[in-house]
Structure formats: structure tokens, C-alpha cells
Amino acid sequence: MPMPLSDHPIITIAFDPGISPKSGGLPGLDVLRSVVNSINLFGIVAVVGALAVSLGVWAWGHHTGGHQAEANGKKGAVVAAGAALGLGAANGIVAFFSALGTQVH
């Protein structure tokens, strides 16, 4: 007589591939880091420009009574501030979650 599925023991098979990040493992890693650093710098410079424009639109909308322009300037300023926060904290965020990921077993 066959056993019901609920009576079968649960067998867990876990396989550890043994892969971990290794610094200097690939040629060109320093070039890739330099490119990513340059992209991050370009993003930060672009955010400074976006923030300046957004604050100008906000001020212009406020002083001319253009409520739509004022609202768009506020939104732009908040988005630019959030982008600056994300770009500045990108390395720390990745490092935090990478370290958190190593604790999963």
C-alpha cells in the first residue's frame, strides 16, 4: 500500500558552489573601476545641474504665480536630491548588501 505524501521524510539537498568575489581575478578590473568611478562622477555633476535648474524653476514659478512651474521645480529638486543621495551612497549600499549576503547559509 503506498504511503501518503505527507508521511514521506523531507530531504534537503544543498550544494555550495564555493564561489566568492576575488580582487584582481580578471585583467582590466582597474580599468572597469575607473570607468564606473567616472560614470558616478558624471552623474553627480549632472545632478548638480539638475538641482540648480529645478531650484530656478521653483523660484521662478513662485514669484510669477505659476503654480505648475513651482510644483515641477519642487519635484525636480526632490528627485535631484534623491539621485545625489543614491549616487553618493551607491558604494556603501552595495557593500552593505554584499556583506549581508555573505551571512546567508
Side-chain angles (χ1 to χ4, degrees):
M1 179 161 172
M3 279 185 3
L5 286 176
S6 61
D7 292 342
H8 287 282
I10 297 175
I11 299 172
T12 304
I13 299 174
F15 176 73
D16 181 11
I19 297 173
S20 62
K22 180 181 176 189
S23 181
L26 288 176
L29 190 58
D30 291 332
V31 173
L32 181 62
R33 282 186 183 137
S34 177
V35 168
V36 171
N37 286 338
S38 298
I39 291 170
N40 195 357
L41 176 63
F42 178 76
I44 290 172
V45 170
V47 164
V48 169
L51 183 61
V53 169
S54 296
L55 293 175
V57 169
W58 184 358
W60 177 73
H62 177 75
H63 290 293
T64 61
H67 300 294
Q68 188 69 30
E70 184 179 1
N72 286 336
K74 286 178 186 179
K75 283 189 282 188
V78 170
V79 168
L85 177 66
L87 287 168
N91 195 36
I93 292 169
V94 171
F96 172 77
F97 283 107
S98 178
L100 193 63
T102 61
Q103 297 176 4
V104 176
H105 295 285

